[in-house]
Amino acid sequence: PRSRLGPRLPHSQVSSWPDWSSGGLALDSLACMQLATAAAVWCNAQDTGFEDLFLTKRNAQGWADAMQRARSAGARGFTFSTSGSTGRRQHIRHAYDSLMAEAHSWAQVLRASALPVRRIVTLVPCHHIYGFIWGVLVPKALDVPVVEASHEALPELLPGDLLVGVPDQWQWLAGSVSAGAAPVQGVTSTAPMSGPVHQRLITASGATPPRLARLLQIYGSTETGGIGWRDDPDAPYTLAPGRSCSAGGEVELLLPGGALVPLALEDEVQWTGANQFELLRRTDNCVQVGGHNVSLAWVREQLL
């Protein structure tokens, strides 16, 4: 059966996964409980009282069945967590309709280009909001297949592919051996993208991989979702469709019902047009290390 998200759940793959406990991944009861809780929270199974069902399942297929039951019973939205690499991990809940509306806005951006998208290859796990939107919902909005991959085992890239990654992965790909045929498009998010790496990825020079016809930089966060984009590292960001700038200089999100909701940004921005902005500096006293936000105050507390 097809889920509310559209694509068929890969039962043929997950059914072959080992059990969580003895004879499989050898997880103890506490680890199994933590994983089951994380899975239930992610799909908001608590909306329908199905969270305890995950504790009785022993493998990924059991979780897929539990998720489908919870969604069919009325669970709404998805919950994503901040990295928690330093400080306290926060759970951020997003309504499914809002996430799907964002996916359609990115589909609109992609369709405005002369470059077709025939397949999406994602290197980002779908429990992350960026990976979920671009690896699950955007393929649904575009009605194209999706392939889960890793930069260590990248499939042959074909014309019309859209490769989804994070800056660390793109930096590795920029210096690796040839990754396949071109032209393809790319998407990057979760951390600032190096200008030289961006230019190297879109410059066709001999066998330099992967020769991208276009690389979209997406600006946003777990709390806000995607806000803006650019495909030129020297250009300002453009607000995604469905986002607007208020009279007070705040970014507002247009909800499916027509209401406007302000989005709190982590950075100070400078508006260069009605829907274009540049990033000036962070306002949360954090730095980024390997794509993770690191709180300097938290590090100081630990050292003391």
Side-chain angles (χ1 to χ4, degrees):
R2 296 177 67 82
S3 71
R4 289 186 68 247
L5 298 181
R8 183 188 301 270
L9 290 173
H11 287 290
S12 60
Q13 297 178 19
V14 298
S15 61
S16 63
W17 282 25
D19 287 349
W20 308 135
S21 53
S22 60
L25 300 180
L27 301 177
D28 60 28
S29 58
L30 179 59
C32 288
M33 182 180 298
Q34 290 173 334
L35 286 174
T37 300
V41 168
W42 181 80
C43 72
N44 291 351
Q46 65 273 16
D47 288 358
T48 54
F50 275 78
E51 60 268 32
D52 290 344
L53 183 60
F54 287 77
L55 296 172
T56 67
K57 303 303 180 180
R58 294 291 178 263
N59 54 40
Q61 181 173 354
W63 278 6
D65 293 337
M67 287 180 182
Q68 283 195 327
R69 288 185 60 184
R71 306 299 291 180
S72 299
R76 296 291 181 265
F78 289 89
T79 297
F80 304 92
S81 65
T82 55
S83 66
S85 55
T86 61
R88 181 176 300 175
R89 183 185 298 270
Q90 298 182 43
H91 293 295
I92 310 298
R93 177 167 173 155
H94 289 270
Y96 170 77
D97 291 343
S98 296
L99 293 171
M100 198 68 232
E102 180 181 340
H104 281 289
S105 75
W106 295 127
Q108 181 179 336
V109 170
L110 293 169
R111 290 192 182 105
S113 168
L115 300 169
V117 176
R118 298 188 176 93
R119 184 179 69 162
I120 291 181
V121 180
T122 179
L123 308 177
V124 186
C126 70
H127 68 271
H128 188 287
I129 188 172
Y130 169 49
F132 184 65
I133 289 174
W134 284 90
V136 177
L137 299 186
V138 171
K140 175 179 171 60
L142 291 172
D143 193 23
V144 297
V146 59
V147 175
E148 295 185 56
S150 67
H151 64 275
E152 298 96 339
L154 195 65
E156 180 182 359
L157 297 178
L158 307 173
D161 279 354
L162 177 71
L163 183 59
V164 182
V166 299
D168 284 347
Q169 293 168 330
W170 285 115
Q171 184 171 4
W172 186 90
L173 288 169
S176 68
V177 295
S178 180
V184 300
Q185 296 183 74
V187 181
T188 184
S189 190
T190 73
M193 183 69 177
S194 163
V197 172
H198 184 121
Q199 294 292 355
R200 190 156 68 248
L201 285 162
I202 63 173
T203 301
S205 58
T208 301
R211 294 191 294 272
L212 299 178
R214 187 189 193 196
L215 178 59
L216 289 172
Q217 295 186 18
I218 307 298
Y219 170 71
S221 68
T222 303
E223 292 83 356
T224 63
I227 291 176
W229 65 275
R230 64 182 181 183
D231 54 13
D232 180 348
D234 297 320
Y237 287 89
T238 298
L239 286 175
R243 280 90 173 128
S244 61
C245 176
S246 70
E250 292 183 319
V251 175
E252 294 181 321
L253 168 65
L254 178 63
L255 297 178
L260 288 173
V261 176
L263 299 177
L265 304 185
E266 293 180 346
D267 304 284
E268 182 180 338
V269 303
Q270 177 178 333
W271 294 96
T272 60
N275 66 339
Q276 292 187 319
F277 63 93
E278 293 180 347
L279 301 178
L280 299 182
R281 63 181 182 87
R282 295 181 68 105
T283 59
D284 57 2
N285 295 317
C286 291
V287 297
Q288 264 197 351
V289 180
H292 294 283
N293 291 334
V294 178
S295 166
L296 300 181
W298 183 90
V299 173
R300 178 180 180 274
E301 290 176 3
Q302 305 312 306
L303 292 175
L304 290 175

